[in-house]
Amino acid sequence: NAGVTQTPKFRVLKTGQSMTLLCAQDMNHEYMYWYRQDPGMGLRLIHYSVGEGTTAKGEVPDGYNVSRLKKQNFLLGLESAAPSQTSVYFCASGWDRDNSPLHFGNGTRLTVT
Amino acid sequence: GENVEQHPSTLSVQEGDSAVIKCTYSDSASNYFPWYKQELGKGPQLIIDIRSNVGEKKDQRIAVTLNKTAKHFSLHITETQPEDSAVYFCAASNLGNEKLTFGTGTRLTIIP
Protein backbone atom coordinates (compact mmCIF):
# COMPACT_ATOMS: atom_id res chain seq x y z
CA ASN A 1 0.00 0.00 0.00
CA ALA A 2 1.91 3.04 -1.29
CA GLY A 3 -0.57 5.73 -0.15
CA VAL A 4 0.01 8.96 -2.08
CA THR A 5 2.85 8.97 -4.60
CA GLN A 6 4.17 12.10 -6.29
CA THR A 7 6.43 12.22 -9.33
CA PRO A 8 8.93 13.67 -9.95
CA LYS A 9 10.61 14.38 -6.61
CA PHE A 10 12.75 17.21 -7.97
CA ARG A 11 12.68 19.31 -11.12
CA VAL A 12 14.44 22.39 -12.45
CA LEU A 13 12.71 24.39 -15.18
CA LYS A 14 13.63 27.46 -17.15
CA THR A 15 11.17 30.34 -17.28
CA GLY A 16 8.51 29.65 -19.89
CA GLN A 17 8.88 25.88 -19.91
CA SER A 18 5.95 23.62 -19.12
CA MET A 19 5.63 20.51 -17.01
CA THR A 20 3.14 18.19 -15.36
CA LEU A 21 3.29 16.91 -11.80
CA LEU A 22 1.63 13.57 -11.21
CA CYS A 23 -0.14 12.46 -8.06
CA ALA A 24 -1.39 8.91 -7.63
CA GLN A 25 -3.28 7.42 -4.67
CA ASP A 26 -4.22 3.81 -4.05
CA MET A 27 -6.72 4.36 -1.21
CA ASN A 28 -9.79 4.88 -3.40
CA HIS A 29 -10.19 8.41 -2.04
CA GLU A 30 -12.73 10.70 -3.67
CA TYR A 31 -11.08 14.00 -2.73
CA MET A 32 -7.66 15.11 -3.97
CA TYR A 33 -5.77 18.36 -3.48
CA TRP A 34 -2.69 20.22 -4.68
CA TYR A 35 -0.92 22.53 -2.22
CA ARG A 36 2.22 24.61 -2.48
CA GLN A 37 4.48 25.21 0.49
CA ASP A 38 6.62 28.32 0.73
CA PRO A 39 8.74 29.52 3.68
CA GLY A 40 6.67 31.45 6.19
CA MET A 41 3.44 30.92 4.25
CA GLY A 42 2.36 27.46 5.24
CA LEU A 43 0.39 25.31 2.83
CA ARG A 44 -1.75 27.10 0.27
CA LEU A 45 -4.37 25.31 -1.78
CA ILE A 46 -3.93 25.55 -5.56
CA HIS A 47 -6.70 23.33 -6.95
CA TYR A 48 -8.73 20.43 -5.70
CA SER A 49 -11.11 17.73 -6.92
CA VAL A 50 -14.13 16.17 -5.21
CA GLY A 51 -14.30 13.22 -7.59
CA GLU A 52 -13.31 11.82 -10.96
CA GLY A 53 -13.87 14.35 -13.72
CA THR A 54 -14.25 17.33 -11.34
CA THR A 55 -11.86 20.16 -10.47
CA ALA A 56 -12.16 23.41 -8.54
CA LYS A 57 -9.98 26.42 -7.79
CA GLY A 58 -8.33 26.91 -4.45
CA GLU A 59 -6.61 29.92 -2.93
CA VAL A 60 -3.79 30.39 -5.46
CA PRO A 61 -4.88 28.84 -8.80
CA ASP A 62 -3.35 31.32 -11.27
CA GLY A 63 -0.70 29.84 -13.56
CA TYR A 64 -1.78 26.23 -12.88
CA ASN A 65 -4.20 23.78 -14.45
CA VAL A 66 -5.35 20.39 -13.21
CA SER A 67 -7.08 17.29 -14.47
CA ARG A 68 -8.72 14.30 -12.78
CA LEU A 69 -9.45 11.88 -15.62
CA LYS A 70 -9.07 8.85 -13.36
CA LYS A 71 -10.11 8.63 -9.72
CA GLN A 72 -6.65 7.61 -8.56
CA ASN A 73 -4.70 10.32 -10.42
CA PHE A 74 -4.60 14.10 -10.07
CA LEU A 75 -2.33 16.03 -12.43
CA LEU A 76 -1.01 19.55 -11.89
CA GLY A 77 0.21 21.41 -14.96
CA LEU A 78 2.33 24.50 -15.36
CA GLU A 79 1.89 25.83 -18.90
CA SER A 80 4.54 28.57 -18.74
CA ALA A 81 6.65 28.36 -15.61
CA ALA A 82 7.65 31.53 -13.75
CA PRO A 83 10.23 32.02 -10.97
CA SER A 84 7.33 32.77 -8.59
CA GLN A 85 6.28 29.14 -9.00
CA THR A 86 9.47 27.92 -7.35
CA SER A 87 8.10 25.97 -4.41
CA VAL A 88 7.51 22.57 -2.89
CA TYR A 89 4.28 21.04 -4.16
CA PHE A 90 2.26 18.57 -2.13
CA CYS A 91 -0.59 16.40 -3.22
CA ALA A 92 -3.11 15.10 -0.69
CA SER A 93 -6.16 12.87 -0.75
CA GLY A 94 -9.06 12.19 1.59
CA TRP A 95 -12.24 10.15 1.94
CA ASP A 96 -14.89 12.85 2.03
CA ARG A 97 -15.65 16.47 2.70
CA ASP A 98 -14.94 16.04 6.40
CA ASN A 99 -11.27 16.33 5.55
CA SER A 100 -10.29 13.70 8.11
CA PRO A 101 -7.57 12.80 7.65
CA LEU A 102 -5.73 14.14 4.62
CA HIS A 103 -2.97 11.84 3.39
CA PHE A 104 -0.06 13.73 1.86
CA GLY A 105 2.61 12.69 -0.61
CA ASN A 106 6.27 13.49 0.04
CA GLY A 107 6.33 16.49 -2.23
CA THR A 108 7.91 17.73 -5.45
CA ARG A 109 10.59 20.41 -5.16
CA LEU A 110 10.38 22.65 -8.21
CA THR A 111 12.89 25.36 -9.07
CA VAL A 112 12.20 27.79 -11.92
CA THR A 113 15.23 29.77 -13.08
CA GLY B 1 -12.70 33.09 3.74
CA GLU B 2 -11.02 31.50 6.71
CA ASN B 3 -7.74 32.91 8.03
CA VAL B 4 -5.59 30.90 10.45
CA GLU B 5 -2.73 32.47 12.40
CA GLN B 6 -0.15 30.33 14.15
CA HIS B 7 2.41 31.21 16.84
CA PRO B 8 5.27 30.94 17.46
CA SER B 9 7.01 30.38 14.15
CA THR B 10 9.95 28.71 15.91
CA LEU B 11 10.14 27.05 19.32
CA SER B 12 13.07 25.42 21.12
CA VAL B 13 12.35 23.26 24.14
CA GLN B 14 14.58 21.24 26.44
CA GLU B 15 14.00 17.50 26.15
CA GLY B 16 11.44 16.41 28.73
CA ASP B 17 9.78 19.83 28.95
CA SER B 18 6.40 20.72 27.45
CA ALA B 19 5.74 22.59 24.20
CA VAL B 20 2.66 24.65 23.34
CA ILE B 21 1.70 25.95 19.90
CA LYS B 22 -1.26 28.29 19.49
CA CYS B 23 -3.57 29.07 16.59
CA THR B 24 -6.41 31.51 16.06
CA TYR B 25 -9.04 31.39 13.33
CA SER B 26 -11.40 33.95 11.88
CA ASP B 27 -14.47 32.07 10.63
CA SER B 28 -16.89 31.35 13.46
CA ALA B 29 -18.48 28.62 11.30
CA SER B 30 -15.28 26.54 11.39
CA ASN B 31 -15.78 23.36 13.38
CA TYR B 32 -12.91 21.02 12.51
CA PHE B 33 -9.34 21.64 13.69
CA PRO B 34 -6.58 19.18 12.79
CA TRP B 35 -2.88 19.31 13.57
CA TYR B 36 -0.23 17.98 11.19
CA LYS B 37 3.43 17.12 11.79
CA GLN B 38 5.92 17.45 8.97
CA GLU B 39 9.30 15.78 9.24
CA LEU B 40 12.20 16.82 7.04
CA GLY B 41 11.72 15.79 3.42
CA LYS B 42 8.25 14.37 3.98
CA GLY B 43 4.67 15.44 3.63
CA PRO B 44 2.55 16.51 6.61
CA GLN B 45 0.95 13.76 8.66
CA LEU B 46 -2.14 14.11 10.84
CA ILE B 47 -1.31 13.69 14.54
CA ILE B 48 -4.54 14.77 16.24
CA ASP B 49 -7.75 16.59 15.45
CA ILE B 50 -10.66 18.06 17.34
CA ARG B 51 -14.20 18.94 16.43
CA SER B 52 -16.14 21.84 17.87
CA ASN B 53 -18.38 19.72 20.06
CA VAL B 54 -15.48 19.01 22.46
CA GLY B 55 -13.09 21.30 24.31
CA GLU B 56 -10.11 19.00 24.72
CA LYS B 57 -8.74 15.80 23.26
CA LYS B 58 -5.72 13.76 24.36
CA ASP B 59 -3.63 11.07 22.73
CA GLN B 60 -0.75 9.93 24.93
CA ARG B 61 1.69 12.88 25.14
CA ILE B 62 -0.30 15.07 22.74
CA ALA B 63 -3.37 17.12 23.57
CA VAL B 64 -5.38 19.77 21.76
CA THR B 65 -7.63 22.34 23.40
CA LEU B 66 -10.30 24.43 21.71
CA ASN B 67 -11.92 27.68 22.82
CA LYS B 68 -14.71 28.44 20.36
CA THR B 69 -15.71 31.66 22.06
CA ALA B 70 -12.23 33.11 21.65
CA LYS B 71 -11.67 31.29 18.33
CA HIS B 72 -8.38 29.76 19.28
CA PHE B 73 -6.97 26.26 19.68
CA SER B 74 -3.67 24.93 20.95
CA LEU B 75 -1.42 21.89 20.66
CA HIS B 76 0.28 20.67 23.83
CA ILE B 77 3.14 18.17 23.76
CA THR B 78 4.33 16.89 27.14
CA GLU B 79 7.57 15.08 28.02
CA THR B 80 9.09 16.10 24.71
CA GLN B 81 11.51 13.76 22.95
CA PRO B 82 14.04 14.32 20.14
CA GLU B 83 11.67 12.69 17.63
CA ASP B 84 9.16 15.47 18.32
CA SER B 85 11.45 17.86 16.40
CA ALA B 86 9.52 18.78 13.24
CA VAL B 87 7.33 21.48 11.71
CA TYR B 88 3.78 21.53 13.05
CA PHE B 89 0.78 22.96 11.19
CA CYS B 90 -2.64 23.78 12.53
CA ALA B 91 -5.63 23.98 10.21
CA ALA B 92 -9.33 24.79 10.26
CA SER B 93 -12.36 24.08 8.15
CA ASN B 94 -16.11 24.01 8.20
CA LEU B 95 -17.25 20.40 7.92
CA GLY B 96 -19.07 20.18 4.63
CA ASN B 97 -16.55 22.55 3.07
CA GLU B 98 -14.00 20.64 1.01
CA LYS B 99 -11.07 22.90 1.90
CA LEU B 100 -8.71 23.09 4.88
CA THR B 101 -6.99 26.39 5.67
CA PHE B 102 -3.54 25.92 7.19
CA GLY B 103 -1.52 28.05 9.57
CA THR B 104 2.00 29.11 8.63
CA GLY B 105 3.72 26.42 10.68
CA THR B 106 5.89 26.16 13.81
CA ARG B 107 9.38 24.69 13.68
CA LEU B 108 9.82 22.82 16.96
CA THR B 109 13.34 21.86 18.03
CA ILE B 110 13.91 19.61 21.01
CA ILE B 111 17.25 20.25 22.69
CA PRO B 112 18.82 17.07 24.12
Side-chain angles (χ1 to χ4, degrees):
Chain A
N1 189 340
V4 178
T5 303
Q6 291 184 233
T7 53
K9 290 183 171 56
F10 304 93
R11 185 73 185 268
V12 178
L13 288 179
K14 293 186 188 303
T15 298
Q17 288 185 320
S18 63
M19 78 162 294
T20 300
L21 283 68
L22 173 64
C23 177
Q25 53 97 0
D26 61 2
M27 296 170 283
N28 202 33
H29 287 166
E30 288 290 340
Y31 288 61
M32 296 187 74
Y33 306 81
W34 276 107
Y35 288 88
R36 60 177 289 173
Q37 183 176 24
D38 302 291
M41 304 190 75
L43 292 155
R44 293 183 293 167
L45 183 63
I46 305 170
H47 285 282
Y48 64 101
S49 167
V50 301
E52 180 178 317
T54 74
T55 62
K57 293 181 180 180
E59 182 185 354
V60 288
D62 294 342
Y64 304 95
N65 57 75
V66 287
S67 65
R68 182 100 181 269
L69 298 180
K70 292 183 179 181
K71 186 176 182 179
Q72 64 267 33
N73 295 337
F74 195 29
L75 279 63
L76 178 70
L78 286 73
E79 290 184 347
S80 180
S84 61
Q85 294 177 304
T86 294
S87 187
V88 181
Y89 292 86
F90 287 98
C91 176
S93 69
W95 279 114
D96 55 28
R97 60 177 56 192
D98 284 353
N99 286 302
S100 60
L102 284 188
H103 296 261
F104 282 84
N106 285 331
T108 295
R109 182 174 294 277
L110 175 66
T111 302
V112 183
T113 62
Chain B
E2 176 66 276
N3 181 47
V4 177
E5 295 189 356
Q6 183 172 347
H7 299 281
S9 57
T10 61
L11 179 62
S12 293
V13 172
Q14 207 72 34
E15 182 178 353
D17 288 349
S18 296
V20 180
I21 302 170
K22 298 181 179 181
C23 290
T24 61
Y25 61 98
S26 61
D27 187 352
S28 57
S30 289
N31 52 15
Y32 174 63
F33 308 93
W35 286 88
Y36 286 81
K37 175 183 181 182
Q38 184 180 26
E39 297 177 343
L40 192 63
K42 296 191 175 181
Q45 186 172 15
L46 179 76
I47 55 172
I48 194 168
D49 58 10
I50 191 169
R51 301 182 191 272
S52 61
N53 56 343
V54 297
E56 183 176 6
K57 184 177 179 180
K58 288 184 180 180
D59 182 3
Q60 300 182 338
R61 296 186 296 108
I62 293 173
V64 57
T65 59
L66 171 65
N67 183 327
K68 285 218 72 176
T69 303
K71 290 192 282 188
H72 67 70
F73 57 112
S74 300
L75 177 71
H76 304 254
I77 306 174
T78 58
E79 301 174 9
T80 53
Q81 300 170 3
E83 53 264 36
D84 295 329
S85 293
V87 178
Y88 292 82
F89 291 97
C90 63
S93 78
N94 182 355
L95 287 173
N97 181 344
E98 297 92 0
K99 303 184 290 293
L100 272 176
T101 300
F102 284 86
T104 50
T106 297
R107 181 174 299 278
L108 174 63
T109 301
I110 307 302
I111 305 166

